[in-house]
């Protein structure tokens, strides 16, 4: 019962350990497999994808790979099946020649998930090696005096296999004098010994041939053989003896090649040939044979190549000393290698990313490292570190694995690339260090808006610019990279004077150049205020704007404009770009010096210096009579007017601005000087007539001069022709009316009066004169009857015969009509002055109170002058008429009504009536 309870307790403990082991392996992600050695490349080891729970489609997505610990990659991951397969043929004896259990370790790395799994693969032995002896033929010498039962050490066979496949037994065949004995060594190995079973007799047989076989336990079994040749010699009763039964030496792994590690010493009491001792190595591996060399004469063991504690820390060998008689002695030599800090820490980058976004959160894994040191003890203890000025830190994962993670947020605009140096230092003295560099590029995130080089922009542009002129260039930079840093410009919408802002200026999207799309006018737009928007190419895009002030600079492109005096209707341009102006101003002759006559008012649409105006008198009828204020434009008298000064003064005032080049305009003033109101009105009338006359272009002066000369020539020729015609007419009259005794036949001499050598028949006549204040309604009307005071006889029609005056009766003279015909005063004015009676009022006269008063006064003056002239004509007529005509009833009758003459004759015919009308008109014209 107690035994059963103990067995049940052991089972529980075994089960608990198994559960704990499975839990530990699952927690740490360890996988264990086994595979025989010498399997061909690509042989199946284990289903890794299934064991770690990976789907076949995730193998390529997560970048799963196998990394072996060591210089050689023995395993690989099949991409389609997820199986762990051999990467090359594995030889257990080469990998684990001194290890009982051969284990190979590798890691399964998931780069996408930053995970790893440890895999241990046990390499099981197969019977692929037969036992072998170092020497195929063994020479032994034995004295014939050797006693039966003596033992002789035979070379060991070597089988690299392990376990049952290793060396298991020896067999000896060939001679009855010898037998085989196998002894167990300290390490459990088998040591064959040759036992002398029967005394030797050199005389019977000087040589004995034996065959030694070594067999392993494989299935099928493999064997190795060695031939033993035993030579029987004379007697040698003393064998060599070593000074120590075992030699042990400790040497550092960095001992120089060629150094003597240990010297073995054996002595033989015999003399001569039997006392000479020689040394040889009996039991050593191939590695030992390559590392050490034994001097057969001196027994010195020297180093043939460098030691490596990591490859082997202890070496054992047997040294045999034998004399010339075949006797020998054996000793064991153990060489222990002490570790020296001669290996740098090894940093293996198992998984790493080369790019990381700048908005990655803190703690993001960027690399998985495996750090190892092949040294042992303190020399193999490794400490890892990073530079202090990088936003990363090391985090221990498991065993020798470390993770490099971010310690804070990244900013690509400050640092766009990192070369993270991982340093590993061991605990040796002196400490050895190694490093690995992780190149990490920070990917840009659109977290920076464009920034303009200036807070605000301003520019000055001269007006009248060409369309498409470059105004200025705005520039914005974006601290981001790539597409996020590509800046494009555009205008923010706005309106200027009701028009879209885009019709005035435009901005180049790529360069930020601002262009004027039209010619700008300072008088319309003084300045443009606009906003330029800079937008990057990120998603979503970030933008910023800046204000731009565009000031239009004035140019002198507007000539001064004269507001007063107002422009004449027929004004024309001056040579300086101005206009001719006209006006009439009044000034009394008794004005003193400095009296204000007029003021020229002008404006300039430009600004600044281009709008500063100055006035100067360019031309005057009397140069010293008037002066103009330089800046005020006031026209004042420079002195008092004199009697010799003309009544009408013409002044030309030039108005200039201060631009470069300067522009100007002219104003023409007509100033009337008068002492009385009548003279003033008369001059105003003359000025009105001249103002109504069409102005002549100043540019065609030469042409008009030529026309004037031609006109004068034509008038002179016409005068000559007229004079000739008059001469012919006088001669004809003299022929028709020859001079007599001073009187015509039948007519009294008193009825004729000589006027300019022409005799005219005078009769009395009547007339009516109607005068009003308005000249347009005033009239002078002659009598419609034939009774008028004709001063010239009526000429007969060309088709009628002119009767002789002597045949007519005096009583039948033409009667005089006391009522004269109606004559318009304005027509009389036309006949008197040879001009239009009343021109239409110009721009200056219309609506001007002074001009209206002047017109009314002019009309009254003209009416009065006409009345005085008519009275003078009547007086002259009375002085030349005969007494009979003076005493006629209608003579001298005048009034507002209509008068008829009583002395009109009824005996005159149709010809007499025509002659009377002609005489009436001639008399009226002569009076006027």
């Amino acid at each position: 019962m107690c035994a059963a309870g103990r067995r049940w307790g052991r089972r529980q403990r075994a089960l608990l350990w198994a559960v704990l082991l499975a839990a530990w392996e699952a927690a740490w992600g360890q996988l264990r497999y086994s595979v025989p050695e010498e399997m061909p490349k690509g042989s199946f080891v284990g289903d890794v994808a299934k064991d770690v729970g990976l789907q076949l489609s995730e193998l390529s997505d997560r970048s799963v790979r196998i990394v072996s610990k060591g210089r050689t990659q023995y395993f690989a991951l099949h991409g389609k099946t997820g199986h762990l397969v051999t990467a090359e043929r594995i030889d257990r004896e080469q990998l684990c020649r001194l290890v009982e259990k051969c284990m190979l370790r590798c890691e399964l790395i998931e780069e996408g998930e930053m995970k790893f799994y440890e895999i241990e693969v046990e390499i099981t032995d197969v019977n692929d090696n037969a036992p072998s002896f170092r020497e195929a033929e063994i020479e032994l010498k034995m004295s014939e005096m050797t006693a039966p039962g003596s033992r002789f050490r035979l070379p060991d066979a070597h089988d690299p296999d392990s376990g049952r496949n290793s060396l298991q037994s020896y067999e000896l065949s060939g001679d009855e004098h010898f037998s085989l004995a196998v002894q167990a060594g300290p390490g459990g190995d088998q040591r064959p010994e040759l036992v002398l079973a029967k005394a030797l007799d050199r005389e019977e047989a000087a040589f004995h041939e034996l065959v030694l076989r070594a067999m392993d336990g494989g299935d099928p079994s493999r064997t190795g053989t060695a031939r033993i040749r035993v030579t029987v010699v004379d007697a040698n009763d003393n064998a060599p003896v070593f000074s120590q039964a075992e030699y042990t030496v400790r040497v550092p792994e960095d001992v120089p090649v060629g150094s003597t590690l240990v010297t073995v010493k054996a002595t033989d009491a015999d003399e001569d040939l039997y006392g000479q001792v020689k040394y040889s190595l009996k039991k050593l591996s191939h590695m030992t044979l390559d590392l050490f060399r034994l001097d057969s004469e001196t027994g010195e063991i020297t180093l043939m190549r460098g030691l490596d504690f990591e490859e082997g820390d202890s070496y054992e060998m047997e040294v045999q000393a034998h004399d010339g008689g075949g006797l020998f002695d054996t000793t064991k030599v153990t060489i222990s290698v002490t570790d020296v800090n001669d290996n740098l820490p090894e940093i293996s980058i198992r998984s790493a990313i080369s790019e990381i976004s700048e908005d990655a959160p803190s703690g993001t894994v960027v690399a998985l490292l495996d750090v190892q040191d092949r040294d042992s003890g303190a020399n193999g203890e490794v400490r890892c570190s990073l530079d202090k000025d990088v936003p990363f830190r090391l985090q221990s994962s498991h065993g020798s694995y470390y993770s490099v993670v971010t310690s804070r947020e990244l900013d690509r605009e400050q640092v766009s690339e990192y070369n993270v140096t991982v340093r590993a230092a061991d605990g040796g003295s002196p400490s050895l260090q190694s490093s690995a560099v992780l190149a990490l590029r920070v990917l840009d995130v659109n977290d920076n808006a464009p920034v303009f080089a200036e807070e605000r922009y301003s520019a000055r542009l001269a007006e009248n610019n060409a369309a498409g002129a470059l105004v200025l260039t705005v520039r914005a930079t974006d601290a981001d990279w790539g597409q996020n840093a590509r800046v494009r410009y555009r205008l923010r919408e706005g309106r200027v004077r009701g028009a879209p802002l885009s019709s005035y200026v435009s901005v180049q999207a790529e360069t930020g150049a601002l262009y004027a799309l039209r010619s700008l006018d300072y008088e319309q737009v003084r300045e443009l205020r606009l906003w330029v928007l800079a937008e990057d190419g990120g998603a979503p895009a970030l933008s910023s704007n800046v204000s731009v002030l565009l000031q239009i600079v004035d140019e002198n492109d507007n000539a001064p404009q004269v507001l007063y005096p107002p422009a004449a209707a027929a004004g024309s341009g001056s040579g300086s770009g101005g206009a001719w102006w006209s006006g009439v101003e009044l000034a009394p002759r008794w004005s003193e010096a400095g009296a204000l006559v007029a003021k020229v008012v002008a404006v300039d649409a430009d600004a600044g210096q281009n709008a500063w105006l100055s006035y100067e008198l360019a031309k005057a009828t009397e140069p010293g009579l008037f002066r103009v204020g330089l800046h005020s434009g006031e026209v004042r008298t420079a002195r008092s007017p004199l009697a010799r000064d003309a009544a009408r003064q013409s002044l030309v005032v030039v108005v200039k601005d201060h631009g470069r080049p300067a522009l100007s305009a002219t104003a023409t003033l007509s100033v009337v000087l008068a002492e009385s109101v009548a003279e003033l009105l008369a001059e105003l009338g003359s000025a009105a007539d001249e103002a109504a006359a069409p102005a002549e272009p100043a540019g065609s002066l030469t042409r008009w001069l030529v026309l004037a000369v031609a006109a004068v020539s034509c008038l002179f020729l016409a005068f000559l022709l007229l004079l000739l015609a008059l001469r012919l007419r006088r001669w004809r009259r003299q022929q028709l009316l020859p001079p007599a005794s001073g009187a015509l036949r039948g007519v009294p001499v008193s009825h004729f009066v000589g006027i300019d050598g022409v005799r005219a028949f005078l009769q009395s006549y009547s007339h009516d004169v109607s005068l009003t204040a308005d000249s347009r309604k005033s009239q002078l009307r002659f009598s419609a009857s034939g009774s008028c005071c004709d001063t010239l006889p009526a000429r007969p029609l060309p088709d009628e015969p002119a009767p002789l005056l002597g045949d007519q009766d005096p009583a039948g003279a033409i009667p005089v009509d006391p009522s004269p015909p109606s004559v318009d005063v304005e027509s009389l004015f036309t006949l008197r002055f040879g001009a239009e009676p009343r021109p239409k009022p110009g721009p200056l006269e219309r609506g001007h109170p002074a001009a209206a008063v002047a017109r009314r006064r002019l009309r009254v003056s003209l009416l009065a002058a006409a009345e005085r002239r008519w009275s003078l004509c009547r007086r002259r007529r009375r002085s030349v008429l005969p007494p009979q005509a003076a005493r006629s009833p209608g003579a001298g009758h005048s009034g507002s009504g209509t008068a008829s003459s009583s002395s009109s004759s009824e005996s005159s015919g149709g010809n007499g009536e025509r002659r009377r009308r002609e005489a009436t008109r001639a008399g009226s014209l002569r009076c006027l």
Side-chain angles (χ1 to χ4, degrees), residues 720-792:
L720 293 179
L721 295 177
L722 179 62
L723 182 61
L724 181 60
L726 290 177
R727 290 293 182 183
L728 292 176
R729 182 180 180 186
R730 181 177 296 182
W731 176 79
R732 187 170 179 270
R733 284 186 178 183
Q734 288 178 358
Q735 296 295 328
L736 292 176
L737 299 174
S741 59
L744 295 175
R745 185 179 50 184
V747 179
V749 178
S750 59
H751 285 202
F752 294 90
V753 177
I755 301 176
D756 296 333
V758 179
R759 295 181 180 272
F761 180 73
L762 301 177
Q763 290 183 347
S764 63
Y765 61 91
S766 300
H767 65 276
D768 293 335
V769 177
S770 299
L771 300 177
T772 63
D774 192 352
S775 64
R776 288 177 294 180
K777 297 180 181 179
S778 300
Q779 62 181 359
L780 176 66
R781 185 174 61 83
F782 289 90
S783 175
S785 65
S787 299
C788 63
C789 53
D790 296 333
T791 58
L792 291 175

Side-chain angles (χ1 to χ4, degrees), residues 640-655:
S640 298
L642 302 178
R644 67 174 182 271
D645 296 333
R648 292 177 56 191
Q649 299 286 331
S650 178
L651 306 179
V652 178
V653 179
V654 177
V655 184

Side-chain angles (χ1 to χ4, degrees), residues 538-607:
L542 301 179
S543 62
S544 61
N545 50 38
V546 68
S547 64
V548 178
L549 174 62
L550 177 59
Q551 296 178 341
I552 313 302
V553 179
D554 181 50
E555 288 189 348
N556 194 24
D557 58 343
N558 292 280
Q561 295 182 357
V562 179
L563 300 181
Y564 187 84
S572 60
S574 65
S576 59
W580 288 95
W581 298 75
S582 65
V584 178
E585 301 295 337
L586 308 177
R589 285 186 176 273
W590 58 83
S591 300
E592 297 180 355
L596 178 64
V597 177
K599 183 175 182 179
V600 178
V601 180
V603 295
D604 197 317
D606 295 324

Side-chain angles (χ1 to χ4, degrees), residues 170 185 191 290 318 352 459 480 490-491 514 517 545 547 549 586 657 743 749 795 878 893 918:
Y170 292 92
R191 296 181 179 181
D290 295 337
E318 287 186 358
D480 294 324
R490 60 184 176 89
L491 287 178
L514 195 67
L517 298 181
N545 50 38
S547 64
L549 174 62
L586 308 177
D657 57 23
V749 178
R795 296 179 59 185
R878 290 192 186 100
H893 178 76
E918 292 178 359

Side-chain angles (χ1 to χ4, degrees), residues 90-104:
I90 302 174
D91 187 0
R92 181 185 179 281
E93 288 73 26
Q94 183 180 0
L95 295 176
C96 308
R97 64 170 62 95
L98 301 177
V99 181
E100 181 69 22
K101 191 173 184 180
C102 185
M103 302 292 292
L104 293 182

Side-chain angles (χ1 to χ4, degrees), residues 93 127-138 154-161 165-170 190 192 212-216 222-227 282-286:
E93 288 73 26
N127 192 18
D128 57 342
N129 293 284
S132 61
F133 293 92
R134 181 182 175 189
E135 298 177 0
E137 293 184 0
I138 303 172
L154 296 177
D156 296 336
H158 177 69
D159 192 339
D161 296 330
N165 296 325
S166 63
L167 181 63
Q168 298 295 327
S169 60
Y170 292 92
Q190 297 182 4
L212 179 62
R213 289 182 177 87
M215 296 171 292
D216 59 19
R222 291 177 179 268
T223 61
T225 60
R227 290 184 178 275
K282 291 299 181 182
K283 185 180 180 182
L284 71 167
S285 62
H286 293 284

Side-chain angles (χ1 to χ4, degrees), residues 118-162:
E118 289 186 351
I119 301 174
E120 291 185 354
V121 180
E122 180 181 0
I123 308 301
T124 58
D125 183 51
V126 295
N127 192 18
D128 57 342
N129 293 284
S132 61
F133 293 92
R134 181 182 175 189
E135 298 177 0
E137 293 184 0
I138 303 172
E139 293 286 342
L140 294 178
K141 291 182 180 182
M142 295 183 184
S143 175
E144 60 179 345
M145 299 299 296
T146 303
S150 300
R151 295 175 179 267
F152 299 90
R153 185 72 169 84
L154 296 177
D156 296 336
H158 177 69
D159 192 339
D161 296 330
S162 63

Side-chain angles (χ1 to χ4, degrees), residues 362-556:
S362 178
T364 302
V365 179
V366 298
L368 190 63
L369 308 178
D370 182 17
V371 183
Q372 292 183 350
D373 194 322
R374 297 178 62 191
D375 295 326
S376 61
N379 297 332
E381 296 178 358
V382 182
R383 299 182 303 274
C384 297
S385 63
L386 297 177
D387 294 337
K388 295 182 179 180
D389 56 346
V390 294
F392 301 97
R393 59 184 175 86
L394 278 175
Q395 181 176 316
S396 179
S397 296
H398 169 64
S400 60
Y401 275 86
Y402 292 87
S403 298
V404 180
V405 298
T406 58
S407 60
R408 63 174 184 271
E409 293 183 355
L410 305 178
D411 190 356
R412 194 209 65 83
E413 288 68 40
Q414 294 183 0
V415 181
S416 60
E417 291 184 356
Y418 289 95
N419 289 324
V420 183
T421 302
V422 181
R423 291 183 173 84
D426 59 21
S429 179
S431 177
L432 299 180
Q433 296 183 356
S434 63
S435 62
V437 178
L438 299 174
L440 191 63
R441 185 163 63 93
V442 182
L443 298 180
D444 183 52
V445 175
N446 191 25
D447 56 349
N448 291 277
V451 178
F452 283 93
E454 300 180 17
E455 292 184 0
R456 60 184 60 87
Y457 288 85
S458 63
R460 296 170 63 87
L461 180 64
E463 66 172 335
N464 303 323
N465 59 285
L470 176 64
V471 179
L472 80 161
T473 300
V474 297
R475 184 172 299 278
T477 57
D478 196 313
D480 294 324
W481 181 82
Q483 185 68 21
N484 297 331
R486 183 181 180 184
V487 180
R488 296 180 65 86
Y489 305 88
R490 60 184 176 89
L491 287 178
R492 180 178 290 182
E493 292 298 331
R495 303 189 71 82
V496 178
R497 296 175 60 87
L501 179 62
S502 58
S503 64
Y504 283 84
V505 292
S506 68
V507 62
Q508 215 283 333
E510 299 295 336
T511 63
L514 195 67
Y515 296 96
L517 298 181
R518 63 168 67 176
S519 179
L520 301 177
D521 190 357
Y522 175 83
E523 288 70 36
Q524 295 182 359
V525 180
R526 299 293 179 91
E527 63 181 24
L528 289 176
R529 293 184 178 272
L530 50 99
W531 290 86
V532 178
L533 187 70
E535 188 176 67
D536 59 22
L542 301 179
S543 62
S544 61
N545 50 38
V546 68
S547 64
V548 178
L549 174 62
L550 177 59
Q551 296 178 341
I552 313 302
V553 179
D554 181 50
E555 288 189 348
N556 194 24

